[in-house]
Amino acid sequence: MRRMSAAVMTALGLVALTAAISSAPARAEPDAALHDLVTRHVQPLLLPPGGMAVALYIDGRTVFFNYGMADSARKQPVTSDSLFNLASVGKVFTSTLLAQAVKQGEVALDDPVAKYVTELQQGGDIRRVTLGQLASHTSGLHRVPQQYEPSHRGPYSLSDFIRYLNAWKADDGHEPGKQDIYSNTGFVLLQLALQRRFNTPIAKLLEQRLLQPLGMTSTVMPVPRPNARGQIAPALRQRAVQGYAVDGQPVGEPGNEQGTFNWPGTGQMYSSARDLAVFLAANLGALPNNRPLQDAMALAQQSVFTVNPRFTQALGWQVVRNDDLTIVDKNGGLNNTSTYIGMIPQKRLGIVILANRGKEPATRIGRQIMLALARSNVAASDDGHSGN
């Protein structure tokens, strides 16, 4: 027989990964020990009317747990296929795109962003900012532009954004490459740079380079609309959860978009626990037949800036030391969503938590569950995956 090509082997490996996570459950109920542990951490902090979807990767398999309501008014429970606003968890998709382009020699982390967003070549200090600094929150740019120019009113158009960047001046507390300042501004600029480098909208880049190869069909960015903030496609919007504020009041319609920036490609991503479980497994090494993408994910997880002895910043990801264990994770939150994806790579253990309520302690819950599992013998009793 002729030997299978590398491309065919890669495709088969990705299909197997997605099928293993997305197929029907082997049992109606999750393993009892895992269910008890996850519920013990989730239930006391879960307030109605919202809910929470959890995907746990352990022992080479994925287990799903769901709690509460996706939409209380419509009496729709949360499922593993409910779509949640990822908020800042979407940043690790952008940083993985960057890492992939670096590994393929298409860009370099030290490239100035003005090399690709050429309007910035007319600016001042912004010309010193690199792609790697944008991805590691070390660019010096503020979290949002209004912190630099508080007189600005309303969302930023692309022309507003370019004007602000060209006028931006670094100071001792905002020097490129010298400090850790969490910056939504920096990631919006990184997305714009990637779009310009490949002459392709960021949503299409994500689809072509990450989502399609991984078989992630329920992870989307908003579809642009004339003179209005984008929306996710109608067919997927039907699966979007209703978001709730910390006081339980509904915030926006299911599938709503928020934020300072308002031009195509700047909205939040939506995804399901089932889809994110594929991304999580891939980041934990479950891509034996796709070494290039595996290498890109590994690069994105590498620490590039030390904040303190227990915390370093990678490309999008944050790296936290907890005694003998290392957690690689990313959280996100808006007033109507709380999200988390985390891993303990040395244990090949990871978790996704998606909540449709603002200010839920998703990060704390995720880390507590992973650390409890990493330091115990609690595990499922078979090799199937469970949940709904």
Side-chain angles (χ1 to χ4, degrees):
M1 294 177 60
R2 295 180 62 185
R3 186 175 298 175
M4 283 191 295
S5 70
V8 171
M9 291 180 66
T10 295
L12 291 175
L14 292 171
V15 168
L17 169 63
T18 306
I21 292 173
S22 302
S23 60
R27 295 179 304 192
E29 294 297 328
D31 174 87
L34 285 177
H35 179 271
D36 290 348
L37 186 148
V38 172
T39 301
R40 187 165 67 247
H41 285 87
V42 169
Q43 201 71 57
L45 301 169
L46 189 66
L47 300 173
M52 192 174 293
V54 179
L56 180 66
Y57 185 83
I58 184 170
D59 295 333
R61 70 192 187 108
T62 298
V63 189
F64 297 99
F65 309 87
N66 297 294
Y67 305 87
M69 303 302 290
D71 191 326
S72 182
R74 298 179 182 178
K75 303 189 184 311
Q76 295 176 343
V78 167
T79 75
S80 300
D81 297 304
S82 299
L83 298 188
F84 292 77
N85 188 324
L86 297 187
S88 285
V89 164
K91 287 181 171 66
V92 294
F93 286 87
T94 302
S95 62
T96 302
L97 276 180
L98 173 63
Q100 183 186 59
V102 169
K103 294 298 289 186
Q104 294 176 183
E106 296 163 320
V107 303
L109 292 179
D110 291 336
D111 283 347
V113 66
K115 178 178 179 180
Y116 305 109
V117 185
T118 54
E119 302 97 313
L120 302 183
Q121 293 172 9
Q122 304 169 28
D125 289 335
I126 193 64
R127 292 181 299 172
R128 298 192 283 124
V129 172
T130 68
L131 300 183
Q133 290 166 355
L134 295 174
S136 59
H137 297 292
T138 59
S139 66
L141 292 169
H142 293 74
R143 185 185 186 98
V144 292
Q146 290 95 329
Q147 291 176 322
Y148 184 78
E149 46 180 34
S151 62
H152 183 89
R153 294 291 180 264
Y156 276 71
S157 67
L158 179 56
S159 60
D160 291 331
F161 190 54
I162 296 297
R163 174 198 51 74
Y164 146 73
L165 292 169
N166 278 330
W168 175 75
K169 289 180 171 55
D171 56 36
D172 289 344
H174 299 82
E175 182 66 22
K178 300 299 184 182
Q179 70 286 292
D180 175 69
I181 299 174
Y182 190 88
S183 179
N184 294 326
T185 304
F187 264 81
V188 169
L189 180 52
L190 177 58
Q191 286 186 332
L192 181 59
L194 291 170
Q195 286 188 150
R196 295 291 183 80
R197 166 60 182 86
F198 296 104
N199 193 30
T200 304
I202 190 67
K204 195 167 187 63
L205 274 178
L206 283 166
E207 178 69 24
Q208 292 174 343
R209 291 183 162 233
L210 288 181
L211 305 180
Q212 196 171 66
L214 289 170
M216 297 175 63
T217 59
S218 297
T219 302
V220 292
M221 290 191 73
V223 176
R225 294 184 295 164
N227 304 315
R229 197 175 295 278
Q231 290 183 328
I232 60 174
L236 290 172
R237 195 160 66 244
Q238 294 176 4
R239 289 164 46 195
V241 299
Q242 171 63 58
Y244 299 96
V246 66
D247 63 1
Q249 293 300 308
V251 177
E253 297 294 323
N256 80 317
E257 296 286 334
Q258 300 182 20
T260 298
F261 311 99
N262 190 11
W263 68 86
T266 58
Q268 295 94 35
M269 296 174 66
Y270 273 74
S271 189
S272 67
R274 196 180 304 278
D275 241 29
L276 281 184
V278 176
F279 186 70
L280 176 66
N283 272 277
L284 281 165
L287 284 178
N289 296 319
N290 193 334
R291 186 60 182 268
L293 186 51
Q294 194 76 80
D295 289 346
M297 290 178 164
L299 175 61
Q301 295 175 35
Q302 290 179 12
S303 297
V304 296
F305 187 86
T306 299
V307 180
N308 60 54
R310 298 177 67 88
F311 175 75
T312 56
Q313 185 66 57
L315 301 180
W317 298 97
Q318 51 203 18
V319 183
V320 181
R321 291 286 301 172
N322 190 291
D323 297 327
D324 58 326
L325 297 172
T326 298
I327 298 173
V328 179
D329 63 6
K330 184 70 189 79
N331 58 344
L334 296 169
N335 60 356
N336 62 355
T337 189
S338 303
T339 58
Y340 178 77
I341 181 170
M343 304 172 281
I344 300 180
Q346 69 213 79
K347 299 290 187 177
R348 296 195 71 237
L349 172 68
I351 195 166
V352 168
I353 296 180
L354 302 174
N356 60 334
R357 188 176 177 124
K359 298 189 181 302
E360 289 277 33
T363 303
R364 175 156 53 103
I365 295 171
R367 288 178 179 175
Q368 287 176 343
I369 291 172
M370 286 195 297
L371 290 170
L373 288 169
R375 292 184 171 133
S376 74
N377 293 320
V378 175
S381 58
D382 66 11
D383 292 328
H385 79 279
S386 306
N388 58 343

